[in-house]
Amino acid sequence: MTNLIPADDAFAASLELPPAAFPALTASYLEEPRGRYASGGGLLVAPSSTTEVAQIMAAAHAGRVAVVPYSGGTGLVGGQIAQDLPRPVILSLHRMNKIRAVHADENVLVAEAGVILADVQSAAEGVNRLFPLSLASEGSARIGGVLSTNAGGVNVLRYGNARDLCLGVEAVMPNGEVMNTLTRLRKNNTGYDMRHLLIGAEGSLGIITAAALRLSPRPASTGVALFAVESPRAALELLSLAGDIAGGTVSAFELMHRQGLDFLRETMPETRQPWPTPPDWTVLVDLGGPADFDPEVTLMNLFEAGSERGLVDDGLIAQSTREADEFWAIRETIPEANRRIGSVSSHDISVPLSSIPDFITQGTQAIAALGPFRVNCFGHVGDGNLHFNVFPDAGKSRADYEDARKTIKRTVHDLTHSFGGSVSAEHGIGRLKVDDLERYSDPTKLATMRAIKDALDPHGICNPGAVLRRAPSN
Amino acid sequence: MTNLIPADDAFAASLELPPAAFPALTASYLEEPRGRYASGGGLLVAPSSTTEVAQIMAAAHAGRVAVVPYSGGTGLVGGQIAQDLPRPVILSLHRMNKIRAVHADENVLVAEAGVILADVQSAAEGVNRLFPLSLASEGSARIGGVLSTNAGGVNVLRYGNARDLCLGVEAVMPNGEVMNTLTRLRKNNTGYDMRHLLIGAEGSLGIITAAALRLSPRPASTGVALFAVESPRAALELLSLAGDIAGGTVSAFELMHRQGLDFLRETMPETRQPWPTPPDWTVLVDLGGPADFDPEVTLMNLFEAGSERGLVDDGLIAQSTREADEFWAIRETIPEANRRIGSVSSHDISVPLSSIPDFITQGTQAIAALGPFRVNCFGHVGDGNLHFNVFPDAGKSRADYEDARKTIKRTVHDLTHSFGGSVSAEHGIGRLKVDDLERYSDPTKLATMRAIKDALDPHGICNPGAVLRRAPSN
């Protein structure tokens, strides 16, 4: 094992960076949003350019100093917080916050790693384009982190995950060398795809410093509806029907269990509820189409076809942009309602689409067998991505179940794995799920990952302990 | 350098495979379609299962025997033909030709590497789905090769390249271990993305044996038009306008120069020509939309908006499926017309979209400065992918220009590179463009590729000499 060396004052001085590169270390750099990971400290360094990132990485490589990259700090799996390293460099990208170029005619925007996601969305909107990546933390998440964790969100069904929205990256490799593959090309088959290796590597193979992002035309016509459906199986059949009727105009297809609406009513009674009596399952459908297209007509056709087949019991088609926003607000406020209730254990899982109904049935039964819990299952059903979250029984609190948490998590993850699913659909591995990765991953994949990590980062300085356990060899 | 050992009779016997795994070695395994690469021979092995592929790779790894994977044999850059190896294994995947599963409700199809692309398209159509990857060689190209070269084609604008249509792969690594990441998941953030590393690696990092492929709903309504445009710049502006007017329904946007139509008239006079007098530039637009959508209306609106802005001089909107097919046939027959004329030098390049007009102007001038050539420039302009092909002057033939070829290629590739473009947009590196990769690639990218190759294939047995030059270390 390479012994990692603390980033001491001499190391800081050796970087020869201006004082602005050393901002004060505030609490947010030492704890993740849910307070589950805390770091003992580190040397906060905030470079203002790719050249400065390269200087820092070269020095860290030469000096065997750990580097923990820090982007928006919104990750939920501890990828940005190292607990057990000897005073690492905490590399914050927030000063690299320039949008370098907007090519509206190419549907491309080039942003530095520190640009906030919402600012990319706004810049795209400013030239009548769409950057479709959209997630709860978009007001603080930054592009570098969004790519390093291959973030998902609500528009994946139509536009893909973060990796699908990136045409090229500029990155600093663990040895301090700059890899300039910041291409705006749509087709480029010149060797191994390094972009896709760095995306989703959570900073363990290098530091993404800038990215060329793919924009889309803004749909000229949009429409949103809520459908009450019998069951997850009915929701899936409705999704298939939506494909036939609405073609490629389906932008999002979200499923919500009644429990989420009940939590909303309980914790945020001011939220306007769509149904007088909530159905067991609600689907939100969002369409975006060309100018000569009326989403309301298509949503009505979908409602009728779904009703005929016995899939849909009730439906609400938004009659205004405000109403569409209200429908979306319900879906988007559920995570906050969950937070207020306080989950015993949350799970960001995905399964093959056709397994969703069986997974939900069996998962709910398995949790019931463990005790009187409340399950709130919701998510991006069009992507097979469910947030299957387990809550205390009414009148109890999260703290009453400390002992049960591990069993619950294991139960849900084992079940997910048995369906060929993923125990981290959109949040990544970070430090929270390293054990899970070792338990569930294909062993050849894990060995290949390790071989790549050792080849590119022989001293193990890049985000040590994230994704892969620190190996005996480093 | 690891000395590679010939695959002799003893090696063949050691594999313990049934006789069917050793078909006769026919000429097609030894020469690529254009006859530019020829191999001296090899041991042809055709496994029928992933287990057999693993046996072969493990034996080759242990015995230091080179393995050259062979899929449909349609590649144009010599990736499937090794000229200078001591009797390699030629690993043909053609017996692994099962479609393992079709999940229509999930829009997923799982195919073995040896399934022919057109058979995947048919299987998808059989369940009312679309597998959108479409290219000239689809009747013989096989899925393993299509993924290993990250093939492109005519629908990339809307549906992406081959890599974008693959959810997971099963592969045999260079050491013979099977990596089972054959997931049907849409979201899966559990570690490095090995799928995207193997896709586009042209068999140099392992052998893809099966893949989960992403299907799409079939557009319920389709429409095709030809527009005569003033210039490549007008074509680009029309593309942008199409985004505004037709939203995400634009499936393809192809550009053709008059030279292509002239070549068609010259070599295949039976082809129905769209224009009495061909314009300098023609754009083909293909729309696919939901049921409640009339592509003809949208194409007419696009024509009118384009005419108002002075972008479009004339337009033909297909009035029937047959006419739509005829429009497409013109575009798809141009490569055959090119073949009959016989190019001096062909170039599969891409540039950032907004650089297309300047690239074409400067490229045409640069070729004119080299002599009286005819240039046929056509391609997937929506992807920035041009086939910029240089032909003999009328009355001359390809053979008259042997001396000029290298200069022409260098001129076009240098110009492409100066625009931040790619010298292999969709065909890959193979053996033909190894020099180009070394000349034009970012050096850090090249070094990183080499480090990964050496880590995963330490003896350099996997398609040696393809993508990366055989290194001193192997």
Side-chain angles (χ1 to χ4, degrees):
Chain A
M1 181 184 280
T2 300
N3 282 322
L4 294 172
I5 310 296
D8 57 15
D9 291 351
F11 177 81
S14 77
L15 296 175
E16 300 190 351
L17 295 172
F22 300 98
L25 184 62
T26 52
S28 64
Y29 289 104
L30 301 174
E31 199 170 44
E32 59 91 57
R34 295 190 289 205
R36 297 182 192 168
Y37 281 82
S39 154
L43 171 68
L44 180 62
V45 188
S48 65
S49 68
T50 304
T51 307
E52 289 186 357
V53 176
Q55 280 172 245
I56 296 162
M57 294 307 295
H61 180 69
R64 315 294 193 247
V65 171
V67 177
V68 179
Y70 191 97
S71 188
T74 62
L76 296 173
V77 289
Q80 71 276 42
I81 302 290
Q83 292 181 289
D84 53 0
L85 295 173
R87 193 173 159 82
V89 167
I90 299 173
L91 185 73
S92 175
L93 280 299
H94 71 272
R95 292 177 67 219
M96 292 188 63
N97 61 354
K98 281 189 288 297
I99 292 180
R100 290 191 189 163
V102 182
H103 303 274
D105 50 348
E106 295 183 13
N107 282 321
V108 175
L109 181 154
V110 181
E112 290 183 342
V115 178
I116 289 174
L117 172 53
D119 292 339
V120 173
Q121 294 168 344
S122 302
E125 195 171 349
V127 293
N128 194 33
R129 294 292 186 272
L130 177 72
F131 185 62
L133 192 72
S134 175
L135 32 93
S137 60
E138 62 198 25
S140 44
R142 297 175 192 272
I143 289 302
V146 154
L147 289 173
S148 291
T149 60
N150 185 30
V154 293
N155 288 324
V156 172
L157 176 63
R158 178 166 182 171
Y159 298 100
N161 294 287
R163 72 167 68 254
D164 303 303
L165 301 171
C166 178
L167 298 170
V169 297
E170 174 193 89
V172 178
M173 301 307 287
N175 62 4
E177 289 188 5
V178 177
M179 183 162 70
N180 184 358
T181 50
L182 193 58
T183 160
R184 284 142 49 202
L185 306 174
R186 308 277 164 160
K187 282 185 172 175
N188 180 20
N189 281 341
T190 49
Y192 309 159
D193 198 316
M194 296 294 97
R195 157 192 57 158
H196 280 307
L197 187 63
L198 290 168
I199 294 174
E202 303 183 36
S204 68
L205 296 178
I207 311 294
I208 294 173
T209 51
L213 302 171
R214 176 201 292 266
L215 310 180
S216 289
R218 295 188 84 76
S221 55
T222 58
V224 180
L226 295 174
F227 295 124
V229 297
E230 283 289 328
S231 63
R233 194 171 303 278
L236 270 189
E237 288 179 34
L238 189 66
L239 173 64
S240 192
L241 203 57
D244 295 340
I245 292 175
T249 64
V250 183
S251 297
F253 198 94
E254 301 281 309
L255 182 69
M256 296 174 272
H257 186 250
R258 193 192 59 234
Q259 188 65 68
L261 300 178
D262 288 348
F263 282 172
L264 264 184
R265 203 182 302 270
E266 188 178 332
T267 62
M268 281 176 275
E270 69 280 10
T271 308
R272 191 183 150 200
Q273 291 271 343
W275 320 101
T277 309
D280 276 359
W281 296 98
T282 301
V283 159
L284 182 153
V285 184
D286 189 310
L287 302 187
D292 295 303
F293 171 68
D294 187 342
E296 273 188 43
V297 172
T298 294
L299 287 168
M300 183 54 78
N301 291 344
L302 179 60
F303 172 74
E304 284 171 5
S307 300
E308 266 173 35
R309 284 165 180 72
L311 306 173
V312 178
D313 296 326
D314 201 353
L316 299 165
I317 298 175
Q319 298 299 309
S320 64
T321 311
R322 215 194 84 204
E323 205 169 13
D325 290 345
E326 282 177 5
F327 288 1
W328 264 114
I330 293 161
R331 165 64 185 85
E332 288 176 337
T333 317
I334 287 178
E336 174 60 19
N338 287 345
R339 209 188 56 76
R340 295 188 187 187
I341 298 285
S343 81
V344 177
S345 184
S346 299
H347 313 95
D348 163 42
I349 64 97
S350 70
V351 291
L353 260 68
S354 58
S355 301
I356 288 175
D358 288 345
F359 172 83
I360 293 177
T361 303
Q362 293 179 34
T364 307
Q365 285 168 355
I367 296 301
L370 297 176
F373 295 98
R374 291 180 293 178
V375 172
N376 184 16
C377 175
F378 65 104
H380 320 297
V381 72
D383 314 313
N385 178 196
L386 300 174
H387 300 295
F388 189 88
N389 296 351
V390 179
F391 293 86
D393 200 9
K396 301 257 190 176
S397 81
R398 171 180 163 83
D400 297 329
Y401 297 93
E402 286 302 326
D403 298 344
R405 184 165 304 130
K406 209 169 165 179
T407 307
I408 293 173
K409 205 170 276 297
R410 174 61 60 87
T411 301
V412 174
H413 284 178
D414 280 359
L415 185 67
T416 302
H417 185 64
S418 76
F419 279 104
S422 168
V423 299
S424 187
E426 55 177 9
H427 296 164
I429 297 296
R431 291 177 171 81
L432 182 66
K433 295 190 178 175
V434 171
D435 289 346
D436 287 315
L437 183 64
E438 291 180 355
R439 179 176 173 84
Y440 299 116
S441 176
D442 175 79
T444 304
K445 175 183 171 181
L446 205 55
T448 306
M449 286 171 57
R450 167 63 62 195
I452 292 171
K453 169 77 174 174
D454 290 347
L456 302 189
D457 182 17
H459 308 313
I461 62 161
C462 261
N463 212 1
V467 188
L468 291 168
R469 194 179 301 283
R470 290 184 63 199
S473 64
N474 54 47
Chain B
M1 184 184 281
T2 299
N3 282 323
L4 294 172
I5 310 295
D8 57 14
D9 291 351
F11 178 81
S14 77
L15 296 175
E16 300 191 351
L17 294 173
F22 300 99
L25 183 63
T26 52
S28 63
Y29 290 103
L30 300 175
E31 199 171 44
E32 58 91 58
R34 294 190 289 204
R36 298 185 190 168
Y37 281 82
S39 153
L43 171 67
L44 180 62
V45 189
S48 65
S49 68
T50 304
T51 307
E52 289 185 358
V53 176
Q55 279 172 244
I56 297 162
M57 293 307 294
H61 180 70
R64 316 294 194 250
V65 171
V67 177
V68 180
Y70 190 96
S71 189
T74 62
L76 297 174
V77 290
Q80 71 275 41
I81 302 291
Q83 291 182 288
D84 52 359
L85 294 173
R87 193 173 159 84
V89 168
I90 299 173
L91 185 73
S92 174
L93 280 298
H94 72 272
R95 292 177 67 219
M96 292 188 63
N97 60 354
K98 281 189 289 297
I99 291 179
R100 291 191 189 163
V102 182
H103 303 274
D105 51 348
E106 295 183 13
N107 281 323
V108 176
L109 181 152
V110 181
E112 291 183 343
V115 178
I116 289 174
L117 172 52
D119 293 340
V120 173
Q121 295 168 343
S122 301
E125 194 170 350
V127 293
N128 194 31
R129 295 293 186 272
L130 176 73
F131 185 62
L133 192 71
S134 176
L135 31 93
S137 60
E138 62 197 24
S140 45
R142 297 175 192 272
I143 289 300
V146 155
L147 289 173
S148 292
T149 59
N150 185 31
V154 292
N155 288 323
V156 172
L157 176 64
R158 177 167 183 171
Y159 297 100
N161 294 286
R163 71 167 67 255
D164 303 303
L165 301 171
C166 178
L167 297 170
V169 296
E170 174 192 272
V172 178
M173 301 306 288
N175 62 4
E177 289 189 4
V178 176
M179 183 160 73
N180 184 357
T181 50
L182 193 58
T183 164
R184 282 141 52 200
L185 305 174
R186 308 280 165 158
K187 283 184 172 177
N188 180 20
N189 280 340
T190 50
Y192 309 158
D193 198 316
M194 296 294 97
R195 156 192 56 157
H196 280 307
L197 188 62
L198 289 168
I199 295 174
E202 305 183 34
S204 68
L205 296 177
I207 310 294
I208 294 173
T209 51
L213 302 172
R214 177 200 292 265
L215 309 180
S216 289
R218 294 188 84 76
S221 55
T222 58
V224 179
L226 295 175
F227 294 126
V229 296
E230 282 290 327
S231 63
R233 193 172 303 280
L236 270 189
E237 288 178 35
L238 188 67
L239 173 65
S240 192
L241 202 57
D244 295 339
I245 291 174
T249 63
V250 183
S251 297
F253 198 95
E254 302 280 308
L255 182 69
M256 296 174 271
H257 186 250
R258 193 194 58 234
Q259 188 67 67
L261 301 178
D262 288 348
F263 282 171
L264 263 184
R265 203 182 301 269
E266 185 176 335
T267 61
M268 281 176 276
E270 70 280 11
T271 308
R272 191 184 149 201
Q273 291 270 342
W275 319 101
T277 309
D280 274 359
W281 296 97
T282 301
V283 159
L284 182 153
V285 184
D286 189 310
L287 302 187
D292 294 303
F293 171 69
D294 187 341
E296 272 187 42
V297 172
T298 295
L299 288 168
M300 184 53 79
N301 290 343
L302 180 60
F303 172 74
E304 284 170 5
S307 301
E308 267 173 34
R309 285 167 179 73
L311 306 173
V312 177
D313 294 326
D314 201 353
L316 299 165
I317 298 177
Q319 298 300 309
S320 65
T321 312
R322 214 194 86 203
E323 205 170 14
D325 290 346
E326 281 177 5
F327 287 2
W328 264 114
I330 293 160
R331 165 65 184 85
E332 288 175 338
T333 316
I334 287 177
E336 176 58 21
N338 286 345
R339 210 189 55 75
R340 295 188 186 186
I341 297 286
S343 79
V344 177
S345 184
S346 299
H347 313 95
D348 163 41
I349 65 96
S350 70
V351 291
L353 260 68
S354 58
S355 302
I356 287 175
D358 288 344
F359 173 83
I360 293 178
T361 303
Q362 293 179 33
T364 307
Q365 285 168 353
I367 296 301
L370 296 176
F373 295 98
R374 290 179 294 177
V375 172
N376 184 16
C377 175
F378 65 104
H380 320 298
V381 71
D383 314 313
N385 180 195
L386 299 174
H387 300 296
F388 189 88
N389 296 352
V390 179
F391 293 85
D393 200 9
K396 301 258 189 174
S397 82
R398 173 180 162 81
D400 298 329
Y401 297 92
E402 286 303 325
D403 298 345
R405 184 165 305 129
K406 208 167 166 181
T407 306
I408 292 172
K409 205 171 276 300
R410 174 61 60 85
T411 301
V412 173
H413 284 178
D414 280 358
L415 184 68
T416 302
H417 185 65
S418 76
F419 278 104
S422 168
V423 299
S424 185
E426 55 178 8
H427 296 164
I429 297 297
R431 292 177 169 81
L432 181 66
K433 295 188 178 175
V434 171
D435 289 345
D436 287 315
L437 184 64
E438 292 180 354
R439 179 176 173 85
Y440 298 115
S441 176
D442 175 79
T444 304
K445 175 182 170 182
L446 205 56
T448 306
M449 287 172 56
R450 167 63 62 194
I452 292 171
K453 169 75 174 176
D454 289 347
L456 303 188
D457 183 17
H459 307 313
I461 62 161
C462 262
N463 212 1
V467 187
L468 291 168
R469 192 178 302 282
R470 290 183 63 196
S473 65
N474 56 48

